[in-house]
Amino acid sequence: MELHILEHSLKVASIEKEGIQICTHGLIKLAFLASKTRCKFFSLTETPEDYTIIVDEEGFKELPQSEHISVADATWLALNVVSGGGSASSSQPIGVTKIAKSVIAPLADHNISVFMLSTYQTDFILVRERDLPMVTHTLSSEFTLFRVVNGETVAAHNLGVTNGFVKPKLVPRPIIHPLSSPSNMFCVTSLDPDTLPSVATLLMDVMFYSGGPKEPGASGEDSTHIRFFSFSLIEGYISLVMDEQTAQRFPNNVLFTSASGELWKMVRIGGQPLGFDECGIVAQISEPLATADIPAYYISTFKFDHALVPEENIQSVIVALRTKSTAQ
Amino acid sequence: MSGSKPDILWSPHHPDRYVICDSELGLYRIGPIGSAEAKPGSLPLSEETAATLLAINSDTPYMKCVAWYPKQEPECLLAVGQANGRVVLTSLGQSHTSTCKELVGKEFVPKHARQCNTLAWNPVDSNLLAAGLDKHRADFSVLIWDISSKLAAESSAAAEKIRLPPTDVDSGSTVTKPLYEIGQNDACLSLCWLLRDPKLLLAGMHRNLAIFDLRNTSQKTFVNTKAIQGVTVDPHFHDRVASFFEGQVAIWDLRKFEKPVLTLTEQPKPLTKVAWCPTRTGLLATLTRDSNIIRLYDMQHTPTPIGDETEPTIIERSVKPCESQIGSFAWHPSSQNRMVVVSAANRVMTDFTVFERISLAWSSTTSLMWACGRHLYDCVEEAVEGAVEKDIATKMRERAQSRYGHDTLQVWRNHLLAGGSDPQLKSLCAEDLELKLPGNKQSLVYSGIKNIVKSSSGTTESRRCWIGSDRQTDVPRYHSEERSLALRLCGWVSRGSDIDVETFLRSLEQEQEWERAAAIALFNLDIRRAIQILNKGAMTDRGDLNLNVVAMALSGYTDEKSSLWREMCSSLRLQLKNPYLCIMFAFLTSEPGAYDGVLYESSVAVRDRVAFACMFLSDAQLPRYIEKLTGEMKDAGNLEGILLTGLTKDGVDLMESYVDITGDVQTASFCMLKGSPGEVLKDPRVQCWIENYRNLLDAWRFWHKRAEFDILRGKLDPSSKPLAQVFVSCNFCGKSISYSGSALPHQGRGFSQYGVSGSPTKSKVTSCPGCRKPLPRCALCLMNMGTPVSNCPGTGKSEEKADLTRENKLAKFNNWFTWCHNCRHGGHAGHMLSWFRDHTECPVSACTCKCMQLDTTGNLVPSDSS
């Protein structure tokens, strides 16, 4: 297995819902006019609380400074796991489940905080730049490490610092944060970048005007219905996460759908904002899922984490996680 | 390809059909423009060809890539890759055989939708269709479909609980289970099957190029690189692959896959297509975005595999098939260097043939070869008499055969050796007539009239009477020692201090140069003699009677300024054909000191004009005139000018322009050797001519001539003698055997000293002169090798030189020492030569050395006779 350390230096920011209008110019430019910026990594996730933006340094320049925007002080690097051979059988679970044991658990054992971003194409594991020596040290045994420099992949040498590292504590990881599962179902999908202009207005509507007057009423009908939308444009690839109702607003044949047409249910982690320093949260969720062989997407936001699991597996997920949380 | 960017595909089997795909597929047939098929709908592609639209297919929206089925049948089957990753088989045209019907409309659907970037049919197992897709976190990016799979997919699809969206349930023509899946969690941007093994697939993945082997899909050979787009195998070198990234093309050798063997110069705009020419080796065409040129890279002369050290030679050029911006192009599969180009907008097509570079080479013997594409043309000089001037190579060869340049005693004879038809050569050879001059003047001879005149002093002016008349002329004549030397160089007066032109006139009469003789007589103020010469000329057989008329006109000479004679002569003289007659009247009718009519009559020999100038121009005018004339001669490369420049630096300049015009290094070499003041010979140009002439002689296999030339050169230019390259030393004492016990330093002129004298009167020395031990034996006659006791120390060298010029050489070649550098066996040269006429191996028993074959030139025969 190969682990690629991508060259993007990422910032994670949160924009308050009230403050979104001052940022729309920059966000629209980043999302729809990629050729006008030098940004290569952009992700926008809307949750009921806020908008979470993950963007590289070039893209960050497009955002204004405002009291509505809070930025996590660290710079983050994205890691990407590439399976070396093509040997994996098609039945292998996908998403964070696949890398739960090999990446997420070891990082949690070494007290490295991670920030997950799953997309249609792949999973990105964001780690703080200052943790990089620790990360390479931790993962060099399991992976061939590569660094991407100017688009070329070069072998990354192990930074070789071994002194002063905390001995990993191999303790069981109970789930400590409250979980909730909203009732609506989600699609993870993508679209052809060439067709992006044709659905741009629709996407803008979904992104910025979803909190319109109708919506509170609609959500009032079903209190467990959650407002969640994610858009990312990373190295030219578009990935979308939206609920079923939103997906139906798109014209036919624009969104890429799996042959199986699968739908996903969400597990939302955290009752209080989780912050960035606590480690092991992803591991708490992904390990039981990996044990149960359930594929999952995992999207971290500024305040909470979100795991997406196949609709038909939701019961077994709940069982698995509940066992885990009660096992303590 | 979506919307704006079109692409072209040639039919793999019909040389006249191609498909253009943009938003739809259009099948075209290309044909000659004037043919009966030229219907109103035909589109002209070039001056000779036009295309007809045969069919359109717009069944497949969201086209991303297209690939043409490689087999003959079904002929017009295309695979179309769509934006959602589906691959659809479709067809164009009418011929729907049953197999075709079965296949058309078949869809291959990946598990997770994403763009299909590329398609590639396996060239051997044509059921296999590889599709390269974008990245998906849980799916493979390279899917290899089996188009013949019997749609049994439904059952397996059910097993995998695939819920097809309602729109897809239409038919059983959907295949969802690929034969092979490769490249999990990666993106594939380009694909091609390797020609060296149809089980190998080369894929441009996200950030690396990978070779997958279908026999073991878990293994891959890969190299990390950015250049992952448009991978394509050279159809002529199956290990050579091109790929690109933005503006840069990388060429790979699959046997040395770690890094590109070369990268081509980066283009400012991103590339859109890179294609090897299928009809010519090593020609790569590239196209960048928004461009109206196609750049061609010729790697014909790039050695494969390319070493690390050698700088590969790539010839880059660009062609402009049409004015508008090019959308795409495609090489014709069989027609040489031909391509069809489609414009970026409006589907304007152009049929275009890339003109092959022409490479050209002269041989050392006149013939000229040039190559263009697959054709080789040979241009040989035909032996037609007198039609055109012969090529300089032929001339030089003939002259070398006739020993041109070697007659150093009678230099003028060289002109006859050269064939006697070139006036410039004639003048050159005549110039060097031996002039026995007292002491210090000798050095002036070769420095040219220009320098002689410059140093002129003590000029006296005189007015003389016309000879045979007591009328006083008003023509001033100038005399000085330098001027008379110049006159002698020009040939007007022979030796002796007296200025007597009569000898020269007689020799001219003998050669029947009547006009010239008359003119020279006139310039010596002897009208009577001039008239007499003209009369004589008119009276000879084949004589020109007009000369009499001229003589009559001449006899009417009057020095009266305003006479009718003067007036008529000065205007009518221009109608005279012969330049000498013309200048005669020019002289008579011009004012003293203003002789432009004579001096600038370019068809008059330079020597005559110069001599004239020396007689009639003042000290102020003369150097100016000479200077000007010298400049003219230099620019024209006229050898007559050597008279003026002499064999000086100026002479080399003049010779340079002569060589530039004619290529006659032979004359240049001989001429400069003869002159040989040291500085001239050291001039790099002179050395270059001499070396080139020697090489030329070698190339003609005129080895004896080369040797003669070297001897001549050694005589005239002692510094050119090569140092001895071979010494024979005694096995026992280590001393050279060439001198009897002497420690004299000795140079050059080697071999004859080692030989055994052919003359019986000379004693043989078969032992080392130093230690008296016997010399080695000849491997054939088993006699000891011997050396003559010819050289008494002190006198040896000069004697020997003199001997060589004569026939009786000290040692016959047959008696020379010779040995093989490889096995070190040897003997008498004559014995060795006769042995190797019948044998290939060394004469020493048990030695298997093939001595003679090691000598590459040993089997060549000289083509000149010594």
Side-chain angles (χ1 to χ4, degrees):
Chain A
M1 299 265 272
E2 294 171 7
L3 184 79
H4 290 214
I5 304 163
L6 307 184
E7 57 189 332
H8 316 288
S9 297
L10 303 175
K11 290 281 179 193
V12 180
S14 165
I15 304 172
E16 291 170 30
K17 290 247 161 172
E18 310 74 81
I20 192 67
Q21 66 270 25
I22 59 161
C23 299
T24 43
H25 173 80
L27 294 176
I28 287 170
K29 193 168 165 189
L30 290 168
F32 304 114
L33 301 165
S35 59
K36 304 284 183 201
T37 70
R38 292 167 67 192
C39 175
K40 297 238 176 68
F41 196 113
F42 170 69
S43 161
L44 175 135
T45 308
E46 185 193 0
T47 60
E49 294 79 24
D50 66 345
Y51 289 91
T52 298
I53 311 290
I54 306 169
V55 72
D56 64 14
E57 281 172 333
E58 288 291 340
F60 192 68
K61 294 174 190 158
E62 305 289 341
L63 296 177
Q65 296 214 319
S66 156
E67 76 264 19
H68 296 294
I69 302 175
S70 29
V71 183
D73 54 356
T75 299
W76 300 76
L77 292 176
L79 311 181
N80 186 208
V81 174
V82 175
S83 51
S87 58
S89 73
S90 57
S91 65
Q92 190 176 339
I94 57 170
V96 280
T97 315
K98 190 179 67 182
I99 53 172
K101 292 226 152 67
S102 54
V103 184
I104 296 168
L107 290 178
D109 287 342
H110 283 87
N111 277 334
I112 299 164
S113 170
V114 299
F115 194 88
M116 284 295 301
L117 178 65
S118 294
T119 66
Y120 187 74
Q121 289 83 17
T122 189
D123 297 296
F124 296 101
I125 307 142
L126 273 58
V127 295
R128 276 184 276 229
E129 197 171 27
R130 61 165 186 263
D131 289 337
L132 189 65
M134 189 69 143
V135 170
T136 53
H137 174 72
T138 310
L139 300 178
S140 57
S141 56
E142 190 96 15
F143 292 94
T144 322
L145 297 179
F146 289 97
R147 265 204 102 127
V148 179
V149 178
N150 293 327
E152 297 273 12
T153 313
V154 293
H157 48 92
N158 191 348
L159 295 169
V161 194
T162 48
N163 288 342
F165 283 142
V166 193
K167 182 113 174 80
K169 43 168 207 250
L170 297 165
V171 292
R173 256 185 293 275
I175 294 170
I176 47 177
H177 294 282
L179 308 177
S180 58
S181 179
S183 63
N184 45 350
M185 292 196 283
F186 291 90
C187 308
V188 181
T189 182
S190 174
L191 52 82
D192 181 357
D194 292 343
T195 59
L196 185 62
S198 65
V199 293
T201 49
L202 178 57
L203 278 170
M204 279 185 239
D205 186 34
V206 172
M207 280 182 202
F208 305 121
Y209 302 100
S210 54
K214 289 181 295 176
E215 293 288 332
S219 63
E221 289 168 26
D222 181 0
S223 56
T224 60
H225 193 103
I226 189 173
R227 173 74 221 153
F228 187 89
F229 174 81
S230 172
F231 171 94
S232 68
L233 176 59
I234 297 167
E235 292 172 356
Y237 290 110
I238 295 169
S239 172
L240 295 163
V241 178
M242 61 183 99
D243 65 11
E244 218 180 349
Q245 289 77 17
T246 313
Q248 279 160 9
R249 296 169 63 187
F250 283 82
N252 270 346
N253 287 328
V254 168
L255 297 180
F256 292 164
T257 48
S258 300
S260 53
E262 59 209 355
L263 288 172
W264 303 77
K265 291 274 284 191
M266 178 179 287
V267 175
R268 195 168 138 92
I269 300 119
Q272 296 291 315
L274 297 169
F276 292 95
D277 293 321
E278 186 180 339
C279 56
I281 304 169
V282 185
Q284 291 162 22
I285 304 298
S286 61
E287 270 184 320
L289 294 181
T291 315
D293 228 10
I294 299 166
Y297 284 72
Y298 200 103
I299 297 175
S300 300
T301 64
F302 206 82
K303 294 195 169 117
F304 301 103
D305 281 6
H306 308 80
L308 289 166
V309 293
E311 162 207 10
E312 65 267 27
N313 291 118
I314 186 68
Q315 286 316 316
S316 39
V317 170
I318 291 170
V319 168
L321 295 179
R322 192 164 282 158
T323 337
K324 189 83 182 175
S325 54
T326 52
Q328 51 184 307
Chain B
M1 218 174 302
S2 56
S4 61
K5 193 186 154 278
D7 200 4
I8 310 188
L9 296 171
W10 274 97
S11 161
H13 294 289
H14 290 270
D16 60 343
R17 290 189 192 188
Y18 62 89
V19 159
I20 300 244
C21 27
D22 32 40
S23 54
E24 56 185 22
L25 296 164
L27 175 67
Y28 290 86
R29 183 176 56 213
I30 191 164
I33 203 159
S35 74
E37 300 169 66
K39 282 169 267 176
S42 75
L43 308 152
L45 295 191
S46 68
E47 283 171 12
E48 282 114 34
T49 50
T52 322
L53 182 61
L54 296 182
I56 287 184
N57 180 335
S58 48
D59 302 343
T60 47
Y62 313 113
M63 268 196 291
K64 283 289 170 186
C65 48
V66 181
W68 201 312
Y69 188 67
K71 286 281 156 72
Q72 199 98 36
E73 194 60 37
E75 62 172 79
C76 221
L77 185 68
L78 295 168
V80 177
Q82 292 177 300
N84 57 8
R86 289 164 177 243
V87 179
V88 183
L89 295 185
T90 187
S91 157
L92 276 160
Q94 319 80 357
S95 73
H96 283 188
T97 57
S98 58
T99 35
C100 189
K101 279 217 179 79
E102 204 175 286
L103 290 171
V104 167
K106 238 182 186 184
E107 275 193 52
F108 303 90
V109 185
K111 268 203 290 296
H112 295 95
R114 58 258 145 91
Q115 182 170 315
C116 178
N117 291 318
T118 176
L119 286 171
W121 292 94
N122 188 304
V124 176
D125 186 357
S126 59
N127 279 337
L128 297 184
L129 173 65
L133 297 112
D134 263 347
K135 196 175 193 177
H136 185 273
R137 63 210 302 277
D139 208 345
F140 298 88
S141 60
V142 181
L143 305 178
I144 296 165
W145 304 97
D146 181 0
I147 58 157
S148 64
S149 68
K150 280 281 169 262
L151 309 174
E154 284 96 334
S155 55
S156 66
E160 284 184 27
K161 56 188 166 96
I162 285 174
R163 290 159 298 178
L164 293 168
T167 49
D168 285 338
V169 200
D170 55 352
S171 71
S173 65
T174 309
V175 180
T176 53
K177 179 87 185 137
L179 197 58
Y180 299 97
E181 296 173 305
I182 318 171
Q184 194 174 28
N185 195 8
D186 208 341
C188 174
L189 291 133
S190 59
L191 278 176
C192 69
W193 295 91
L194 293 186
L195 299 169
R196 65 173 183 187
D197 188 336
K199 292 283 184 197
L200 296 180
L201 180 68
L202 174 65
M205 308 297 280
H206 187 57
R207 294 210 188 94
N208 63 65
L209 282 181
I211 300 172
F212 297 106
D213 190 338
L214 296 192
R215 291 161 294 203
N216 179 6
T217 51
S218 62
Q219 290 297 311
K220 66 172 180 181
T221 319
F222 73 100
V223 55
N224 288 320
T225 174
K226 277 197 278 190
I228 42 102
Q229 284 174 289
V231 288
T232 165
V233 183
D234 185 340
H236 295 97
F237 290 106
H238 294 177
D239 288 318
R240 186 150 74 178
V241 172
S243 68
F244 64 89
F245 162 75
E246 288 182 354
Q248 189 142 41
V249 179
I251 310 288
W252 306 82
D253 189 327
L254 297 180
R255 295 164 296 185
K256 220 179 137 209
F257 201 39
E258 303 86 45
K259 60 183 173 83
V261 282
L262 55 119
T263 46
L264 307 179
T265 34
E266 191 161 356
Q267 302 305 318
K269 291 264 177 79
L271 291 154
T272 56
K273 185 156 183 171
V274 167
W276 295 99
C277 178
T279 50
R280 189 174 165 301
T281 52
L283 187 64
L284 186 74
T286 67
L287 174 68
T288 58
R289 209 178 59 199
D290 308 329
S291 155
N292 60 354
I293 58 168
I294 289 173
R295 239 171 260 277
L296 299 168
Y297 297 90
D298 191 344
M299 279 161 249
Q300 180 113 296
H301 304 288
T302 311
T304 44
I306 304 142
D308 283 328
E309 320 78 30
T310 52
E311 189 67 22
T313 47
I314 298 176
I315 299 159
E316 182 187 337
R317 61 192 175 125
S318 46
V319 291
K320 192 176 178 187
C322 57
E323 289 304 313
S324 56
Q325 289 189 349
I326 299 168
S328 187
F329 69 93
W331 290 105
H332 191 280
S334 54
S335 202
Q336 204 183 345
N337 286 8
R338 180 171 163 197
M339 58 168 71
V340 160
V341 174
V342 64
S343 69
N346 304 331
R347 241 197 223 194
V348 181
M349 297 171 288
T350 314
D351 182 5
F352 181 76
T353 300
V354 175
F355 198 76
E356 194 56 66
R357 278 182 310 111
I358 290 179
S359 53
L360 171 148
W362 286 99
S363 82
S364 58
T365 54
T366 315
S367 60
L368 172 69
M369 294 276 259
W370 68 93
C372 178
R374 298 216 176 108
H375 305 282
L376 189 64
Y377 300 92
D378 187 6
C379 170
V380 190
E381 189 176 41
E382 277 184 39
V384 179
E385 277 302 311
V388 248
E389 209 183 344
K390 276 188 204 151
D391 183 75
I392 189 67
T394 317
K395 278 194 205 165
M396 282 198 283
R397 220 175 112 103
E398 283 170 5
R399 287 171 190 174
Q401 284 277 32
S402 59
R403 303 190 68 251
Y404 166 61
H406 286 284
D407 201 331
T408 47
L409 296 176
Q410 286 175 289
V411 179
W412 60 272
R413 274 177 48 88
N414 284 322
H415 163 55
L416 300 179
L417 295 175
S421 60
D422 192 323
Q424 287 196 21
L425 288 187
K426 185 173 175 181
S427 126
L428 178 71
C429 297
E431 184 221 332
D432 288 327
L433 277 174
E434 265 183 68
L435 291 168
K436 295 272 184 274
L437 285 171
N440 59 345
K441 285 282 158 54
Q442 184 71 54
S443 61
L444 282 175
V445 175
Y446 289 120
S447 59
I449 290 178
K450 187 178 152 200
N451 291 327
I452 295 172
V453 168
K454 228 180 249 169
S455 63
S456 175
S457 60
T459 309
T460 54
E461 194 180 318
S462 70
R463 281 160 200 268
R464 283 210 350 222
C465 300
W466 289 101
I467 295 168
S469 115
D470 43 3
R471 247 185 306 163
Q472 181 77 19
T473 59
D474 51 358
V475 186
R477 255 198 76 167
Y478 301 93
H479 300 277
S480 75
E481 216 174 319
E482 287 78 15
R483 282 173 191 248
S484 47
L485 177 60
L487 281 182
R488 275 160 63 182
L489 281 173
C490 293
W492 277 22
V493 291
S494 51
R495 60 200 68 160
S497 52
D498 192 27
I499 304 165
D500 181 13
V501 83
E502 190 54 36
T503 353
F504 183 51
L505 291 180
R506 287 225 187 87
S507 71
L508 286 178
E509 276 178 343
Q510 232 156 31
E511 286 164 47
Q512 307 206 329
E513 292 194 55
W514 308 111
E515 294 90 347
R516 191 172 166 207
I520 290 167
L522 181 75
F523 296 151
N524 282 289
L525 304 179
D526 194 344
I527 289 194
R528 225 167 257 286
R529 179 80 175 104
I531 292 170
Q532 183 198 337
I533 291 168
L534 289 175
N535 278 332
K536 214 171 180 182
M539 276 186 294
T540 51
D541 336 328
R542 295 176 290 116
D544 187 357
L545 288 175
N546 284 336
L547 292 181
N548 274 329
V549 182
V550 176
M552 278 195 299
L554 208 54
S555 60
Y557 167 70
T558 165
D559 53 0
E560 214 166 296
K561 291 276 183 304
S562 55
S563 67
L564 180 67
W565 186 90
R566 230 167 219 265
E567 193 188 327
M568 294 322 290
C569 281
S570 62
S571 58
L572 289 175
R573 72 173 180 94
L574 295 173
Q575 289 173 22
L576 288 170
K577 293 255 158 41
N578 187 295
Y580 283 98
L581 299 181
C582 186
I583 58 167
M584 277 160 77
F585 290 103
F587 172 62
L588 291 176
T589 56
S590 44
E591 296 298 317
Y595 301 113
D596 284 6
V598 180
L599 296 174
Y600 296 106
E601 176 59 59
S602 58
S603 42
V604 170
V606 172
R607 58 183 57 242
D608 294 333
R609 283 191 273 161
V610 171
F612 177 86
C614 287
M615 288 170 86
F616 297 106
L617 289 187
S618 69
D619 271 358
Q621 287 173 306
L622 183 62
R624 241 185 296 135
Y625 172 68
I626 298 289
E627 189 72 38
K628 194 165 173 220
L629 193 61
T630 310
E632 272 173 33
M633 292 292 134
K634 261 202 238 175
D635 290 345
N638 189 338
L639 286 186
E640 292 180 68
I642 289 287
L643 181 72
L644 301 171
T645 61
L647 298 173
T648 55
K649 208 88 184 153
D650 275 344
V652 179
D653 291 342
L654 189 149
M655 197 55 94
E656 185 184 15
S657 37
Y658 170 75
V659 172
D660 285 349
I661 292 163
T662 61
D664 185 1
V665 286
Q666 186 181 39
T667 304
S669 307
F670 278 115
C671 182
M672 288 303 152
L673 265 185
K674 211 139 305 155
S676 69
E679 328 81 71
V680 172
L681 270 175
K682 278 190 207 93
D683 193 302
R685 289 171 289 179
V686 174
Q687 290 303 322
C688 173
W689 296 331
I690 289 173
E691 282 313 311
N692 272 308
Y693 181 51
R694 295 178 70 236
N695 289 341
L696 207 51
L697 288 173
D698 280 343
W700 291 332
R701 289 184 285 138
F702 279 13
W703 291 316
H704 295 106
K705 296 282 180 287
R706 218 286 309 280
E708 280 177 45
F709 178 76
D710 281 347
I711 293 165
L712 179 71
R713 186 183 171 201
K715 262 193 266 179
L716 294 168
D717 176 17
S719 65
S720 71
K721 277 188 207 165
L723 295 175
Q725 288 154 0
V726 182
F727 298 93
V728 180
S729 64
C730 171
N731 249 344
F732 300 99
C733 66
K735 281 184 186 151
S736 168
I737 60 164
S738 49
Y739 281 92
S740 40
S742 72
L744 275 182
H746 100 276
Q747 288 188 335
R749 195 81 36 212
F751 285 112
S752 64
Q753 294 160 354
Y754 312 142
V756 182
S757 166
S759 115
T761 57
K762 294 205 171 159
S763 61
K764 292 181 178 182
V765 172
T766 55
S767 59
C768 166
C771 62
R772 301 286 163 202
K773 297 256 172 61
L775 291 175
R777 292 167 193 276
C778 168
L780 285 161
C781 67
L782 302 180
M783 301 289 283
N784 288 94
M785 306 296 289
T787 183
V789 207
S790 59
N791 310 327
C792 318
T795 59
K797 274 191 114 180
S798 60
E799 239 180 41
E800 176 206 328
K801 248 195 213 170
D803 279 346
L804 263 175
T805 55
R806 279 176 245 132
E807 274 304 295
N808 77 357
K809 289 177 183 162
L810 279 175
K812 288 280 193 299
F813 175 69
N814 279 349
N815 293 331
W816 283 19
F817 277 37
T818 173
W819 63 93
C820 169
H821 285 246
N822 187 38
C823 67
R824 293 166 186 266
H825 297 134
H828 294 112
H831 293 157
M832 287 295 153
L833 277 178
S834 59
W835 171 266
F836 283 113
R837 234 165 266 148
D838 308 320
H839 302 82
T840 53
E841 287 187 359
C842 178
V844 174
S845 52
C847 178
T848 55
C849 178
K850 294 188 165 47
C851 312
M852 207 57 171
Q853 286 174 13
L854 298 173
D855 186 1
T856 48
T857 52
N859 299 317
L860 296 174
V861 190
S863 60
D864 61 344
S865 49
S866 178

